[in-house]
Amino acid sequence: MRTRRAEYSESTRQALVDSAVDLFTKRGYAGTSLDEVVKRARVTKGALYHHFSGKQALFEAAFARVETKAIESLTAVVTGDGAPWDTAIAGLRAYVRKCLEPEYQRIIVHEAPVVMGWERWREAEEHFSFGLLRTAVQLLVDAGEIEEAPVEIMARLLFGALSAGASTIASSSDPKRTGREVERAILRVLEGLRKK
Amino acid sequence: MRTRRAEYSESTRQALVDSAVDLFTKRGYAGTSLDEVVKRARVTKGALYHHFSGKQALFEAAFARVETKAIESLTAVVTGDGAPWDTAIAGLRAYVRKCLEPEYQRIIVHEAPVVMGWERWREAEEHFSFGLLRTAVQLLVDAGEIEEAPVEIMARLLFGALSAGASTIASSSDPKRTGREVERAILRVLEGLRKK
DNA sequence: CACCGGTACGTACCGGCGGTATGTGAGATA
DNA sequence: TATCTCACATACCGCCGGTACGTACCGGTG
């Protein structure tokens, strides 16, 4: 049953997460105070601590929000029925573009591993971007496109390379050019792994 | 002129950096209080703020300390006079091992980009590990071992992949095995880039 | 040797921030 | 309508980074 109070509650929760995503993106986790977050959401700390156990939990909620949105747009790209290789390439392109959005860049790529701790981050990423990337790699192996290799490891390396590439693009003085270069470099790496 | 006071001063500064490296490694930047740092160094905050402008500056000193030590051991590996390709491989192996040391892993790989900010981190790394890696890649290109490519970009991607690989090893339940797998995977990527 | 200047700290304190304990009023329940 | 409950608001605490100021000791000078 959908009561009135429940709707209000959900609404303020959303407002808190919205505010958190905004401020964490602009000022980072350490640079954002909870007073700012609740002020922007037009509530008080009482509301925040009613919905979340603390600052960390609020960050994880923001993390989940951003990642969920990202997964949606990425799966849309990947669920075409083209050749596995071409689909994978399209997915990589889409992911690099995602990494250039400030929200994703700051919260997911840069801060999450430190704020959540590497272990917790790794665990959470299983259900989000990294999980998607790993299944993509698995598909390529199954399709015989790239040589047999420990999928987990290869996916980790690729994930790291992609993040570094995206950061490079983002802080470049000529993002367009750097973007093309990064894409070409990644494609070259993949071609090097491809079976003849 | 080497005065007595200068020696004392240098000594307390070293003690502060030692303490900082220790605590930042164990508890991270945010989890370490300056009171703990000065207590372990057996001084007070007055001494700390005499030598460093603040917590950030102290972190950068710790960063420089750890990186300097790393560079020393890495250049020792690289300055053999073997074939460029073999030297590069040896360097990569040595770097992965470095990343498994807790100090390097926590302070340099995980926290530095967030604490210092990506731009500042990138700038600092020019004189340390990344600088070394990039010149190594440049040497391989010059020697005709790998195909022409924007060296900066390739080095960035490699750097990201190596960091991810090292983190994977460190948090693995079977580090020995994972270590071998990561090394093999990296070698395969490099072989894919090698000229025929 | 007396004096003095400056450096290398120590001490006391402030403001801000994360977190907590407790009050309260609107909406659900009977 | 009376009561209960939950979704907040309010007030407060302890810690921590940073600052202002005091001080003792070393090193040079007459």
Side-chain angles (χ1 to χ4, degrees):
Chain A
M1 65 174 182
R2 188 72 183 157
T3 157
R4 184 176 206 79
R5 278 177 64 141
E7 282 181 8
Y8 287 164
S9 181
E10 180 59 22
S11 173
T12 66
R13 188 195 153 90
Q14 294 294 334
L16 282 167
V17 176
D18 285 343
S19 174
V21 169
D22 243 44
L23 290 169
F24 286 155
T25 299
K26 287 182 191 161
R27 313 183 195 181
Y29 180 78
T32 300
S33 76
L34 296 183
D35 285 330
E36 287 179 287
V37 174
V38 299
K39 186 179 180 182
R40 177 167 301 205
R42 292 179 304 162
V43 291
T44 64
K45 291 213 287 189
L48 197 158
Y49 276 89
H50 176 73
H51 286 285
F52 307 97
S53 63
K55 199 182 184 185
Q56 289 257 352
L58 179 64
F59 180 86
E60 292 213 14
F63 173 88
R65 158 81 62 94
V66 176
E67 272 287 25
T68 301
K69 213 177 61 182
I71 283 291
E72 285 171 6
S73 72
L74 286 182
T75 48
V77 172
V78 171
T79 50
D81 54 347
W85 184 261
D86 299 333
T87 306
I89 300 298
L92 289 184
R93 282 194 147 92
Y95 181 73
V96 170
R97 278 204 309 274
K98 247 306 164 198
C99 287
L100 297 183
E101 297 179 10
E103 286 180 7
Y104 198 89
Q105 170 112 13
R106 187 83 185 252
I107 295 180
I108 309 298
V109 177
H110 285 155
E111 305 235 312
V114 179
V115 174
M116 301 168 69
W118 213 81
E119 279 300 328
R120 174 83 190 93
W121 171 76
R122 177 176 174 154
E123 183 188 349
E125 275 291 358
E126 287 295 324
H127 315 298
F128 292 118
S129 302
F130 176 74
L132 199 63
L133 175 66
R134 191 177 50 184
T135 63
V137 173
Q138 184 68 60
L139 287 178
L140 288 180
V141 171
D142 293 345
E145 286 284 10
I146 64 178
E147 300 184 31
E148 283 289 338
V151 172
E152 171 76 18
I153 305 293
M154 270 300 176
R156 290 281 164 201
L157 297 185
L158 250 180
F159 204 52
L162 285 172
S163 303
S167 297
T168 306
I169 300 172
S171 65
S172 167
S173 60
D174 185 355
K176 290 272 185 191
R177 211 175 85 95
T178 308
R180 287 197 308 272
E181 289 179 348
V182 167
E183 270 193 14
R184 285 206 44 171
I186 292 175
L187 289 183
R188 179 164 304 184
V189 169
L190 286 181
E191 287 290 346
L193 294 174
R194 199 173 188 179
K195 274 186 179 172
K196 311 302 178 296
Chain B
M1 65 171 181
R2 186 71 182 158
T3 160
R4 183 177 206 80
R5 270 175 72 115
E7 282 181 7
Y8 288 163
S9 181
E10 180 60 23
S11 173
T12 65
R13 190 196 152 90
Q14 295 293 335
L16 281 167
V17 177
D18 285 342
S19 175
V21 169
D22 243 45
L23 289 169
F24 286 155
T25 300
K26 288 182 191 161
R27 312 183 197 182
Y29 180 78
T32 301
S33 77
L34 296 183
D35 285 331
E36 288 179 287
V37 173
V38 299
K39 186 177 179 183
R40 177 165 303 204
R42 290 180 304 164
V43 291
T44 65
K45 290 213 286 191
L48 196 158
Y49 276 88
H50 175 74
H51 286 285
F52 306 97
S53 63
K55 198 182 184 185
Q56 290 256 352
L58 179 64
F59 180 86
E60 292 214 13
F63 173 87
R65 157 80 62 95
V66 175
E67 271 287 24
T68 301
K69 213 176 60 180
I71 283 290
E72 284 171 6
S73 72
L74 286 182
T75 48
V77 171
V78 171
T79 49
D81 54 348
W85 184 261
D86 299 333
T87 305
I89 300 298
L92 290 184
R93 284 194 146 91
Y95 181 73
V96 171
R97 278 204 310 274
K98 247 305 162 196
C99 287
L100 298 184
E101 297 178 10
E103 286 180 7
Y104 197 89
Q105 169 111 16
R106 186 84 185 252
I107 295 180
I108 309 299
V109 177
H110 285 155
E111 304 236 311
V114 179
V115 174
M116 300 167 69
W118 212 81
E119 278 303 327
R120 175 82 190 94
W121 170 76
R122 176 174 173 155
E123 183 188 347
E125 275 291 358
E126 287 295 324
H127 315 299
F128 291 118
S129 301
F130 176 74
L132 199 63
L133 175 67
R134 191 177 52 184
T135 63
V137 172
Q138 184 68 61
L139 286 178
L140 287 180
V141 170
D142 293 344
E145 286 284 10
I146 64 180
E147 300 185 31
E148 283 288 338
V151 172
E152 172 77 18
I153 306 293
M154 271 299 176
R156 291 279 166 203
L157 297 185
L158 252 180
F159 204 51
L162 285 173
S163 303
S167 298
T168 306
I169 301 173
S171 65
S172 166
S173 59
D174 186 354
K176 290 272 186 189
R177 210 174 86 94
T178 308
R180 286 197 308 272
E181 289 178 347
V182 167
E183 270 193 13
R184 286 207 44 171
I186 292 175
L187 290 184
R188 179 165 303 185
V189 169
L190 287 181
E191 288 290 347
L193 294 174
R194 199 172 188 180
K195 273 187 179 171
K196 311 302 178 298

